[in-house]
């Protein structure tokens, strides 16, 4: 096993990517093939050295084998002892294979964030002995590892996982009514959870909360209106492109490292620009007034909200993107200003205003990227248009449908092309269906590629830092991507509004485990994703070994399988040690323990 380097030229720079690779001998040992084990991404020299050291220790270390004596039925031991159990080896059985490794890792993350102790104080055991804190841990682990509906958890996933073994519980945790009743108890503790998580991330990663990123998304439902008066499920602007479904809007606040600080569930028809005031008040109420920098995309703050932020005591700092119309208004003034080089590849122009400053930033790498994207789209659209004109027996209505599909596929290029479409009764030919390039629009687009106009009241802040703040808005987009992708937040099938909010709450908790694992991995290998690690751990199974005895009993050994070499290397890097194997159990004569 070794580290393998690959080189790629991207954005005019040379990038080096690393992977963990294993050599395997095949064809009777005459040939060697390489197996890709883990993709590590771009790692620095210290991370590279740490991986090499771990590999060297693992490869050169040798595990000392222990020999144990079993006494089969046909052979008697040298001494006669009542404690000796004779085993029928020919009747050995392996039962109940179940996924153990990813469940154990989820449990480690849960403990690392102190969630077990937090919830044990708030979700008390019921009179019938139901451990609600264990039910919640099962729901969160399920959402992190293999997300799906509560009904699927009840019907199949719990039995295929080792959650009962890890929690010292039984199937009572996964009863369908138990899962839903647990959801009814969660959202009252949301504020306390936010404060707890902030302290844990501060202790674990020295996280800072002086810069906050704010954005919104929506998630849709597989349910039909009408709903009760005041219900949050409403039709509205769908970021999921599911305008046929009702939805709710989720407002999320995260740090530049991706740690979520809080969220709110809003009605599905809520306008973006009406949400910021309540978010500011919520954060101040939760954590107190402090000097924070709010970073937002255009369309969220209004002029009134920004003025209120400047007038508050202490003033609330902000950095926001601006609509394209504002850039058109200021373009003449910005043209007269000189570019200032603030770091390699980034130049800015500063335009002071009353109590504010406009930062016109330009990134050379971003110019190359956006220009390549625009050229690729324009080339594809320019090839598609002659194809449409040459189609035989194509009717005008069919042409309009195909043009609509082209517009959706290449939106950037579409704005740069002017079309002349045939009339209602005209044939499609070179005279009736023509197009031309909008050169004036193209020149404007070229001038603005890789450039952003930012607005801030941090007039004395370093322009480089302002640029970096704004670029970090991708952390919010990454959070939404993980919630909707890895953690399967959508669609929501619950019918009761309280359980809808509880479903989002459980997804938020699972995302907290996800982002903790991602931050943990960042110091090892930036290219190693939480999903890749969970899949590696999921390969470790737990199996019940049933050994029948000569006196009619069964010795049961619950054993998790030993990790493969690449997983053992990963365990060493994470400084994790697998727990001891569970102790054996022995059943009464004729009865089997399940």
């Amino acid at each position: 096993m070794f580290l393998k380097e690959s080189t790629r030229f991207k954005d005019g720079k040379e990038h080096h990517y690393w992977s963990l690779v294993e050599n395997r001998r095949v064809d009777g040992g005459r040939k060697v093939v390489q197996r890709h084990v883990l993709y590590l991404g771009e790692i620095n020299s210290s991370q590279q050295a740490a991986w090499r050291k771990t590999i060297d220790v693992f490869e050169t270390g040798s595990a000392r084998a222990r020999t144990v004596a079993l006494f089969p039925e046909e052979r008697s031991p040298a001494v006669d002892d009542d404690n000796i159990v004779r085993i029928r080896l020919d009747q050995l059985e392996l039962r109940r294979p179940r996924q153990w490794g990813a469940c154990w890792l989820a449990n480690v993350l849960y403990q690392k964030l102190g969630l077990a102790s937090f919830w044990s104080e708030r979700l008390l055991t019921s009179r019938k002995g139901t451990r609600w804190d264990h039910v919640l841990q099962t729901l969160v682990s399920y959402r992190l590892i293999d997300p799906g509906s509560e009904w699927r958890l009840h019907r199949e996933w719990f039995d295929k996982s080792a959650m009962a073994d890890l929690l010292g519980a039984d199937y009572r945790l996964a009863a369908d009514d138990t899962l839903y009743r647990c959801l009814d108890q969660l959202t009252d503790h949301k504020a306390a959870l936010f404060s707890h998580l902030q302290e844990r991330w501060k202790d674990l990663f020295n996280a800072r909360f002086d810069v906050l990123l704010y954005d919104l998304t929506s998630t849709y439902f597989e349910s039909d209106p009408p709903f009760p008066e005041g219900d949050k499920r409403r039709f509205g602007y769908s970021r999921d492109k599911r305008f046929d479904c009702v939805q709710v809007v989720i407002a999320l606040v995260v740090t530049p490292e991706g740690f979520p600080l809080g969220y709110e569930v809003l009605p599905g028809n809520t306008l973006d620009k009406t949400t910021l005031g309540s978010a500011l008040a919520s954060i101040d109420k939760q954590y107190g007034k402090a000097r924070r920098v709010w970073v937002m995309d255009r369309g969220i703050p209004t002029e009134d909200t920004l003025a209120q932020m400047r007038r508050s005591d202490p003033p609330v700092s902000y950095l926001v993107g601006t609509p394209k119309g504002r850039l058109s208004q200021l373009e003449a003034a910005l043209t007269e200003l000189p570019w200032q080089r603030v770091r390699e590849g980034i130049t800015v122009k500063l335009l002071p205003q009353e109590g504010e400053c406009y930062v016109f930033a330009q990134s050379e790498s971003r110019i190359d990227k956006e220009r390549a994207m625009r050229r690729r789209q324009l080339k594809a659209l320019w090839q598609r248009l002659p194809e449409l004109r040459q189609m035989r027996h194509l009717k005008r209505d069919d042409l309009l449908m195909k043009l609509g599909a082209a517009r959706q596929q290449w939106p950037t290029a579409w704005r740069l092309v002017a079309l002349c479409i045939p009339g209602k009764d005209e044939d499609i030919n070179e005279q009736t269906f023509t197009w031309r390039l909008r050169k004036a629009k193209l020149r404007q687009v070229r001038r603005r590629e890789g450039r952003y106009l930012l607005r801030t009241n941090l007039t004395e802040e370093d322009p480089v830092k302002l640029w970096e703040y704004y670029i970090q808005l991708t952390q919010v987009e990454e959070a939404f991507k993980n919630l909707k992708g890895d953690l399967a937040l959508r669609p929501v099938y619950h019918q009761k509004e309280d359980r809808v909010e509880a479903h989002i709450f459980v997804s938020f908790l699972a995302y907290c485990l996800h982002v903790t694992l991602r931050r943990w991995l960042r110091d090892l290998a930036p290219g190693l994703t939480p999903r890749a690690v969970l899949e590696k751990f999921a390969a470790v199974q737990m199996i019940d070994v049933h050994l029948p005895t000569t006196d009619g009993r069964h010795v049961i050994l619950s054993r998790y399988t030993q990790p493969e070499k690449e997983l053992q290397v990963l365990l060493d890097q994470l400084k994790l040690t697998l727990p001891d194997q569970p102790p054996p159990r022995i059943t009464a004569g004729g009865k089997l323990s399940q």
Side-chain angles (χ1 to χ4, degrees):
M1 194 175 295
F2 60 95
L3 287 181
K4 182 177 180 179
E5 180 185 11
S6 59
T7 303
R8 179 186 176 190
F9 286 91
K10 181 181 177 182
D11 299 332
K13 296 180 181 179
E14 185 177 85
H15 298 264
H16 301 276
Y17 302 95
W18 297 84
S19 299
L20 190 63
V21 177
E22 178 188 31
N23 280 338
R24 283 193 173 182
R25 292 195 172 274
V26 296
D27 196 17
R30 291 191 296 271
K31 295 181 180 179
V32 175
V33 296
Q34 291 184 349
R35 184 174 75 93
H36 181 96
V37 176
L38 287 174
Y39 173 71
L40 306 180
E42 292 187 278
I43 57 178
N44 57 38
S45 56
S46 60
Q47 293 167 341
Q48 179 185 344
W51 278 100
R52 291 191 188 280
K53 182 178 179 181
T54 301
I55 295 169
D56 290 342
V57 170
F58 179 80
E59 292 290 345
T60 58
S62 60
R64 182 173 298 176
R66 293 173 54 199
T67 303
V68 296
L70 295 176
F71 294 99
E73 177 187 8
E74 298 81 7
R75 179 182 173 188
S76 298
V79 295
D80 194 12
D81 191 334
D82 292 339
N83 293 324
I84 293 176
V85 178
R86 294 179 178 85
I87 303 297
R88 300 182 185 273
L89 290 180
D90 59 334
Q91 298 180 21
L92 180 147
E93 295 180 352
L94 302 179
R95 300 185 182 181
R96 290 190 62 222
R98 52 205 184 273
Q99 194 278 114
W100 182 87
C103 294
W104 177 78
L105 180 59
N107 183 59
V108 169
L109 295 169
Y110 205 82
Q111 299 288 343
K112 195 178 184 71
L113 283 181
L115 294 176
S117 58
F118 174 86
W119 287 112
S120 65
E121 297 172 359
R122 291 165 175 80
L123 299 179
L124 303 180
T125 304
S126 72
R127 288 181 297 175
K128 294 183 178 180
T130 303
R131 288 287 303 270
W132 296 113
D133 56 331
H134 284 177
V135 178
L136 175 59
Q137 185 171 349
T138 301
L139 284 165
V140 174
S141 300
Y142 170 60
R143 181 62 49 184
L144 175 70
I145 298 167
D146 187 18
S149 67
E150 283 77 8
W151 176 246
R152 175 171 168 266
L153 189 159
H154 156 75
R155 191 180 68 244
E156 59 180 65
W157 186 83
F158 189 81
D159 274 341
K160 294 179 180 179
S161 76
M163 288 303 299
D165 303 87
L166 291 166
L167 297 177
D170 53 29
Y171 189 76
R172 180 167 45 179
L173 293 181
D176 54 353
D177 59 330
T178 302
L179 297 173
Y180 292 117
R181 287 162 57 203
C182 180
L183 293 176
D184 298 335
Q185 307 178 51
L186 302 181
T187 53
D188 291 341
H189 307 287
K190 190 163 70 170
L193 176 68
F194 293 162
S195 298
H196 171 80
L197 289 172
Q198 183 192 25
E199 293 301 320
R200 288 304 300 150
W201 284 320
K202 194 181 298 182
D203 294 340
L204 291 171
F205 305 113
N206 195 28
R208 300 180 62 183
F209 304 93
D210 51 352
V211 177
L212 304 181
L213 314 177
Y214 179 73
D215 206 350
L216 301 104
T217 191
S218 58
T219 186
Y220 60 89
F221 295 79
E222 294 290 352
S223 54
D224 298 321
F227 301 110
E229 185 67 28
D231 196 289
K232 293 181 179 179
R233 287 168 287 183
R234 290 286 181 267
F235 288 105
Y237 174 72
S238 175
R239 294 158 180 84
D240 302 316
K241 309 303 180 186
R242 287 300 304 270
F243 296 100
D244 58 318
C245 297
V246 291
Q247 64 177 21
V248 292
V249 172
I250 302 174
L252 182 66
V253 180
V254 304
T255 70
E257 288 188 299
F259 297 122
L261 202 59
Y263 76 94
E264 288 294 335
V265 181
L266 306 169
N269 57 358
T270 303
L271 298 177
D272 291 2
K273 63 183 180 180
T274 64
T275 64
L276 182 57
S278 60
L280 293 171
S282 176
I283 292 296
D284 286 346
K285 181 180 178 180
Q286 178 77 31
Y287 304 105
K289 288 184 176 292
R291 185 170 180 81
R292 303 185 182 96
V293 180
W294 286 77
V295 184
M296 298 158 282
D297 212 342
R298 62 177 182 265
I300 293 179
T302 63
E303 290 294 334
D304 292 340
T305 307
L306 294 178
Q308 181 182 348
M309 294 172 75
R310 292 193 295 270
R311 290 195 302 266
S312 62
D313 186 24
V316 179
S317 302
Y318 59 82
L319 174 67
V320 300
T322 59
K324 294 182 179 179
R326 183 62 59 93
L327 178 57
S328 300
Q329 296 173 14
L330 301 175
E331 197 164 20
L334 289 168
T335 303
E336 299 176 357
L337 297 174
W339 288 104
Q340 302 178 33
R341 189 177 184 85
V342 293
R343 57 178 292 184
E344 183 180 357
I346 296 178
T347 53
V348 299
K349 292 183 179 183
L350 302 179
L351 181 62
Q353 296 286 312
E354 296 181 2
E356 290 185 312
C357 180
Y358 286 93
V359 182
F360 191 43
Q362 171 182 275
S363 169
E364 293 178 4
S365 60
R366 189 70 186 178
I367 290 175
D368 295 337
K369 180 177 181 179
E370 292 185 7
R371 193 157 290 173
M373 292 169 59
R374 186 251 307 159
R375 286 172 175 167
R376 188 161 52 247
Q377 286 199 23
L378 190 57
K379 181 180 179 181
L381 179 60
W382 210 255
Q383 291 176 346
R384 179 60 173 164
L385 293 175
E387 293 175 358
L388 296 178
R389 189 165 63 185
Q390 294 170 9
M391 289 183 180
R392 293 184 178 181
H393 311 299
L394 184 66
K395 303 298 183 182
R396 180 178 182 275
D397 291 345
D398 296 331
L399 174 64
L400 295 179
M401 294 287 289
K402 292 182 181 296
L403 288 176
R407 178 178 182 177
Q408 185 175 11
Q409 187 173 1
W410 303 296
T412 301
W414 184 266
R415 293 190 290 268
L416 303 177
V417 177
L419 293 174
C420 179
I421 300 175
K424 186 174 182 179
D425 299 322
E426 292 182 330
D427 293 332
I428 300 173
N429 51 49
E430 295 183 358
Q431 288 72 40
T432 60
F433 180 33
T434 60
W435 55 89
R436 62 177 178 82
L437 188 64
R438 299 173 61 188
K439 295 183 179 179
K441 182 67 175 179
L442 176 60
R443 284 193 291 268
Q444 183 188 59
V445 168
R446 282 180 55 86
R447 286 198 305 269
R448 295 181 178 180
E449 285 173 338
R451 298 177 179 181
Y452 300 90
L453 182 63
L454 311 178
R455 181 180 182 181
T456 181
N457 60 347
L458 295 168
T459 55
E460 299 180 0
E461 193 68 70
D462 183 3
V464 177
K465 189 169 291 186
L466 295 175
W467 167 263
E468 292 174 348
Y469 285 166
Y470 189 71
I471 292 300
Q472 287 167 346
L473 269 178
T474 55
Q475 290 293 341
V476 187
E477 297 170 1
E478 182 72 16
F480 291 148
K481 179 181 177 181
N482 288 324
L483 279 169
K484 294 181 178 182
D486 264 5
L487 306 179
L489 171 67
R490 62 182 182 185
V492 184
Y493 294 96
H494 292 284
Q495 301 299 316
K496 295 183 178 180
E497 185 176 349
D498 291 344
R499 288 182 181 172
V500 168
E501 299 218 21
H503 168 81
I504 296 172
F505 186 85
V506 170
S507 301
F508 174 81
L509 277 172
Y511 176 67
C512 291
L513 301 187
H514 188 281
V515 74
T516 300
L517 178 57
R518 186 182 64 183
R519 176 60 182 82
W520 198 4
L521 294 170
R522 195 189 73 178
D523 296 333
L524 303 175
L528 206 55
T529 65
R531 181 55 54 194
V533 172
L534 287 168
E535 289 173 355
K536 289 290 182 185
F537 274 85
V540 180
Q541 300 284 302
M542 176 166 275
I543 302 174
D544 290 343
V545 183
H546 285 245
L547 301 168
T549 67
T550 56
D551 57 2
R553 294 181 294 173
H554 275 70
V555 175
I556 302 176
L557 304 174
S558 295
R559 292 292 182 265
Y560 60 78
T561 58
Q562 292 301 308
E564 298 293 335
K565 288 194 298 183
E566 61 264 24
L567 181 56
Q568 188 59 57
V569 170
L570 188 56
L571 284 166
D572 293 342
Q573 280 289 88
L574 293 172
K575 296 180 173 58
L576 291 176
T577 303
L578 296 180
D580 295 334
Q581 297 279 10
R585 312 190 309 276
I586 190 165
T587 67
K591 297 181 181 179
L592 292 182
S593 168
Q594 296 296 335

